[in-house]
Amino acid sequence: MLNITEPCLQFLPCRSSDRFLQPFWDYLLFHYMPLISSPFFPVLLAFSSYFFFSLPFAVLDLLGEKVPLFHQYKIQPNRKPTLKMMGDNFMVAFYNHIFFVLPAVIISIFIMPAPPLPRDAPTVYELFIDMLAVLLLFDTQYFIWHFMHHKHPQLYRWIHAVHHEYIAPFSWSSERLSIPELMTVGFWSNRDPVLLNCHPLTTWCITVFSIWMSVEDHIGYDLPWTLNRLVPLGLLGGAPAHDMHHQRPSTNYAPFFSHWDRIFGTAAPLKKKNELKSK
């Protein structure tokens, strides 16, 4: 069953529009309608993004000092994840998606069915503003949740401690989450775009971009071209900030941005590699 507001899909590629993204959106509707209209598409998009974003940094970790061009940016060079650690983290993420995320999607089909896909694409301005709004909203939600779980010993032990099994995070560990944390993050990730009335294309872009940011936070490398380096004024914490959080768990609670930690005095100075070596 095609989930679109108009049935005449054969005319989609010929439609004229002044929206920059319209040809791309028409192409998706015309060629990939069964895929993108599936309620399981967001899960596939999210997990495949996690896999393909994590894989290159896993290779770097395994090669280690054999690739000095990258190893020089390792934040904790004396701590190296093993292949077993990587496999364990991947299997945790895979298990959680098969036995918890997919059943939740099946239930949501009956409780909150997805609305039809719109004919019109979002404008570039709408896509950018909505992405920023959702990321800021999620950053606020997770900052509060994260702060509470670190301040409450029982909540930390029962729900969040599993994510802190490693002092030095690595790419695959970004989704090492307990079931309650996974479902909470998943609920926000799915409902925040709905709350802000985002276009489906915007929602999918948010999914991919937020997972990239999450993986990048956990890579354990302070590379010169990562987002926290490219975005000015230290607005993003990136891998150095989250690495410090795993070393000093009472600091750097925000997942992406740095403003809440600055406001509440929980921001930790980002240590350089030579400082970490001396400890």
Side-chain angles (χ1 to χ4, degrees):
M1 179 177 178
L2 298 182
N3 191 24
I4 189 168
T5 53
E6 298 289 342
C8 301
L9 288 177
Q10 64 269 29
F11 298 111
L12 279 173
C14 300
R15 291 198 307 134
S16 61
S17 174
D18 59 352
R19 299 191 174 204
F20 179 77
L21 295 172
Q22 192 65 52
F24 177 64
W25 181 241
D26 287 345
Y27 178 83
L28 291 178
L29 293 177
F30 187 74
H31 293 281
Y32 297 101
M33 189 65 189
L35 174 64
I36 64 176
S37 62
S38 168
F40 300 101
F41 174 67
V43 179
L44 176 63
L45 182 66
F47 191 81
S48 59
S49 297
Y50 161 70
F51 178 82
F52 287 111
F53 291 157
S54 299
L55 189 59
F57 298 106
V59 173
L60 284 182
D61 280 330
L62 292 174
L63 293 175
E65 295 179 356
K66 295 178 182 177
V67 189
L69 176 64
F70 294 99
H71 190 72
Q72 64 178 316
Y73 298 110
K74 185 75 172 170
I75 297 173
Q76 299 188 60
N78 297 325
R79 297 181 183 273
K80 179 181 178 181
T82 65
L83 189 60
K84 183 181 183 303
M85 292 163 60
M86 296 179 187
D88 288 345
N89 280 265
F90 174 79
M91 290 309 299
V92 166
F94 184 75
Y95 177 89
N96 287 347
H97 278 76
I98 294 296
F99 291 102
F100 294 96
V101 175
L102 288 181
V105 172
I106 294 173
I107 294 172
S108 70
I109 293 173
F110 299 98
I111 299 177
M112 297 177 292
L117 295 177
R119 286 288 305 274
D120 294 326
T123 65
V124 174
Y125 175 80
E126 289 170 343
L127 185 141
F128 176 79
I129 292 299
D130 287 348
M131 283 186 65
L132 181 61
V134 171
L135 290 172
L136 286 169
L137 175 58
F138 178 86
D139 196 75
T140 302
Q141 293 165 327
Y142 192 80
F143 175 86
I144 297 170
W145 185 97
H146 202 184
F147 181 87
M148 290 174 55
H149 281 70
H150 273 278
K151 296 302 181 183
H152 194 288
Q154 284 72 32
L155 287 177
Y156 178 82
R157 185 169 62 252
W158 295 338
I159 296 176
H160 189 56
V162 65
H163 187 68
H164 279 268
E165 291 184 9
Y166 306 107
I167 295 177
F170 51 95
S171 60
W172 295 113
S173 68
S174 64
E175 294 208 14
R176 188 174 185 84
L177 307 173
S178 68
I179 302 306
E181 180 168 359
L182 174 69
M183 301 311 285
T184 301
V185 170
F187 178 79
W188 290 333
S189 299
N190 282 280
R191 303 320 298 173
D192 286 354
V194 176
L195 179 65
L196 297 182
N197 196 30
C198 294
H199 190 281
L201 182 59
T202 304
T203 301
W204 303 334
C205 289
I206 293 167
T207 297
V208 174
F209 189 67
S210 63
I211 290 175
W212 167 253
M213 294 179 75
S214 179
V215 169
E216 192 178 79
D217 281 356
H218 291 82
I219 59 176
Y221 292 85
D222 188 15
L223 299 170
W225 52 81
T226 49
L227 290 172
N228 61 291
R229 293 284 195 142
L230 299 177
V231 176
L233 304 177
L235 297 177
L236 299 179
H242 197 70
D243 210 285
M244 284 300 300
H245 172 70
H246 278 255
Q247 296 176 70
R248 296 170 54 190
S250 61
T251 64
N252 297 341
Y253 294 112
F256 302 142
F257 299 93
S258 60
H259 56 278
W260 289 124
D261 284 302
R262 292 180 180 181
I263 291 171
F264 288 97
T266 54
L270 309 181
K271 296 182 181 179
K272 303 298 182 183
K273 185 176 70 173
N274 57 355
E275 292 177 303
L276 293 167
K277 278 185 172 181
S278 65
K279 292 195 176 284

